[in-house]
Amino acid sequence: MPGFYLNDIHRVTTKTYSPSNQDVLNARLKTVGVVEHLFQLENGGEKGMDWRIFDVGGHRDHRQVWAPFFDDVNAIIFLAPISAFDQVLMEDKKVNRIEDSLLLFRSICANKLLGKVNIVLFLNKIDILERKLKAGVKVSRYVCSYGERPNKLQPVASYFLSKFMAVHKESKPNLLRELYPHLTKMTDTEVTAALISDVREMILRKQFQDSSLM
């Protein structure tokens, strides 16, 4: 896509070019199948807990392999590109990407096997969403239910957030399960670090509750 790299075309095409951290963050790699990440987070400079994350591809053809990875999970992080309101699925040009994300989110929320697993919702790419809105792309043209609401970042983000939260409320088999929603742009390392810290605290709190320590 035009943008970040083309704006820096002279820098990235030099013979001595070496990717910066920001270059890596702006790279777009499609998740295919299931990718496992194992790492350790430090806690105040001390050795922290081990994290095992399974990154599962969202393509429709990849979803049937998810089930084995739902066993004994501490949390589910659901990542939805909020900027995709004007895009369709590659595998089905008749389906809006936001609508597909909502349907998929509903199926996960309603899954009885996941009834006790808290969900972290990342409505991602709000920076791209803001650029689209400022360029004059009308949400109501692609999402009829948006109606005459203001075509600005905060109202649009709040509208989509309310849709996801309503799906969780209507579909959850366990009334005590919590949803932790966030509006994000994963290229912002400071915000992402704070979100990871929130997720860690949520997982620890859930473990304490399960062990009757809270």
Side-chain angles (χ1 to χ4, degrees), residues 21 123-124:
N21 289 337
L123 296 184
N124 194 32

Side-chain angles (χ1 to χ4, degrees), residues 7-199:
N7 290 342
D8 279 14
I9 190 70
H10 297 295
R11 177 176 64 86
V12 301
T13 55
T14 60
K15 292 182 179 180
T16 57
Y17 167 70
S18 179
S20 66
N21 289 337
Q22 200 62 36
D23 291 343
V24 174
L25 286 171
N26 279 277
R28 294 285 183 260
L29 294 177
K30 183 178 180 180
T31 302
V32 178
V34 178
V35 180
E36 180 181 354
H37 303 277
L38 180 63
F39 58 95
Q40 189 176 86
L41 288 180
E42 293 185 356
N43 186 9
E46 299 180 357
K47 182 178 179 180
M49 68 169 63
D50 292 327
W51 284 56
R52 188 183 301 272
I53 294 180
F54 295 99
D55 183 10
V56 296
H59 193 282
R60 283 185 171 180
D61 293 339
H62 301 157
R63 295 174 189 176
Q64 67 270 19
V65 303
W66 290 4
F69 300 93
F70 283 164
D71 184 43
D72 195 30
V73 296
N74 298 110
I76 290 178
I77 299 176
F78 190 92
L79 192 68
I82 196 174
S83 62
F85 68 88
D86 60 342
Q87 297 172 255
V88 295
L89 296 180
M90 291 181 62
E91 59 268 38
D92 189 344
K93 303 298 183 183
K94 297 179 181 179
V95 179
N96 181 283
R97 287 188 63 186
I98 286 286
E99 290 299 324
D100 181 67
S101 292
L102 283 164
L103 289 172
L104 179 57
F105 189 62
R106 182 180 298 276
S107 69
I108 290 176
C109 290
N111 191 316
K112 293 183 179 179
L113 295 177
L114 303 174
K116 295 183 179 180
V117 180
N118 290 330
I119 299 176
V120 182
L121 173 64
F122 286 169
L123 296 184
N124 194 32
K125 300 184 180 180
I126 60 169
D127 50 334
I128 298 177
L129 171 64
E130 186 173 25
R131 288 202 296 270
K132 285 184 177 182
L133 298 177
K134 287 182 176 180
V137 183
K138 298 293 185 181
V139 174
S140 57
R141 178 183 176 187
Y142 302 92
V143 183
C144 295
S145 59
Y146 189 71
E148 298 300 321
R149 295 176 177 84
N151 203 64
K152 296 182 179 181
L153 178 61
Q154 194 57 50
V156 171
S158 296
Y159 173 77
F160 286 128
L161 178 58
S162 68
K163 297 284 280 186
F164 278 90
M165 293 182 70
V167 165
H168 178 259
K169 183 177 180 179
E170 296 166 2
S171 307
K172 63 180 181 179
N174 174 16
L175 296 178
L176 298 179
R177 185 180 66 192
E178 296 187 61
L179 175 68
Y180 298 83
H182 298 276
L183 299 172
T184 63
K185 55 175 181 177
M186 289 306 175
T187 55
D188 188 327
T189 55
E190 291 186 5
V191 172
T192 303
L195 293 177
I196 291 175
S197 178
D198 287 346
V199 173

